[in-house]
């Protein structure tokens, strides 16, 4: 269930940089750290978008504006920040027919894409090559379930034809009432 977002963050870089100033509701990796106004580059990575969504009090949406066939390969050995919602939507594609954004997690230590808040949506990603689980729904924080993981390709490439398996599972959930 998608919720009307307070903020929409658009990932337009396959890089792995953190947001330069969390909590300003502007996803940007190269602006000078410090309170706005500062010069912004307009570059937003998935890591920076999740950071901004974490610091926002309400529902947020993360969308992608990347060239077709783009793969995000985190260079950091650290996992993405946890999706703690409530109601953060990561939309690699808006419907089941669109191109998927591929996350190659071979360089990252677990957990990889971790959800520990309620009412989140993760849709339209090809998540592969994780050492353990591609997506993990955890019991940290106030996770009461009602998360929707849909239309993803786990352990394959974005076309679904090449085996690029995750080490353990595509999805692991430790919380009931998720779809």
């Amino acid at each position: 269930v998608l919720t009307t977002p307070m903020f929409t963050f658009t990932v337009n870089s396959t890089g792995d940089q953190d947001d330069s100033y969390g909590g300003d509701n502007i996803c940007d990796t190269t602006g000078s750290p410090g309170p706005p106004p500062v010069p912004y580059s307009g570059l937003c990575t998935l890591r920076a978008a999740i950071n901004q969504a974490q610091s926002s009090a309400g529902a947020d949406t993360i969308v992608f504006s990347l060239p077709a066939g783009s793969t995000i390969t985190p260079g950091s050995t650290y996992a993405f920040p946890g999706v703690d919602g409530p109601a953060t939507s990561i939309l690699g594609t808006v419907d089941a027919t669109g191109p998927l954004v591929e996350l190659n997690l071979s360089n990252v230590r677990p957990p990889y894409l971790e959800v520990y808040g309620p009412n989140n949506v993760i849709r339209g990603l090809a998540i592969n090559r994780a050492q353990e689980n591609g997506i993990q729904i955890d019991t940290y924080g106030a996770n009461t379930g009602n998360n929707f993981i849909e239309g993803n390709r786990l352990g394959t490439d974005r076309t679904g034809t090449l085996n690029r398996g995750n080490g353990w599972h595509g999805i692991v959930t430790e919380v009931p009432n998720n779809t």
Side-chain angles (χ1 to χ4, degrees), residues 72-132:
I72 296 173
T73 305
S76 168
T77 58
Y78 297 101
F80 291 110
V83 179
D84 60 1
T88 297
S89 297
I90 300 177
L91 306 176
T93 185
V94 198
D95 59 49
T97 61
L100 282 76
V101 173
E102 187 169 345
L103 302 181
N104 172 352
L105 301 177
S106 60
N107 296 332
V108 181
R109 287 183 282 176
Y112 303 99
L113 190 53
E114 186 173 32
V115 177
Y116 53 87
N119 306 315
N120 299 289
V121 175
I122 298 176
R123 177 190 300 151
L125 299 175
I127 300 175
N128 55 52
R129 296 176 261 199
Q131 295 170 24
E132 292 179 7

Side-chain angles (χ1 to χ4, degrees), residues 14 64-72 92 98-102 158:
T14 59
F64 296 82
S65 178
L66 296 169
S70 292
T71 299
I72 296 173
L100 282 76
V101 173
E102 187 169 345
R158 76 178 51 76

Side-chain angles (χ1 to χ4, degrees), residues 132-156:
E132 292 179 7
N133 307 312
I135 298 173
Q136 186 161 326
I137 302 174
D138 257 324
T139 56
Y140 304 123
N143 195 340
T144 56
N146 201 37
N147 294 291
F148 292 84
I149 312 298
E150 56 192 20
N152 298 287
R153 294 203 170 129
L154 305 171
T156 70

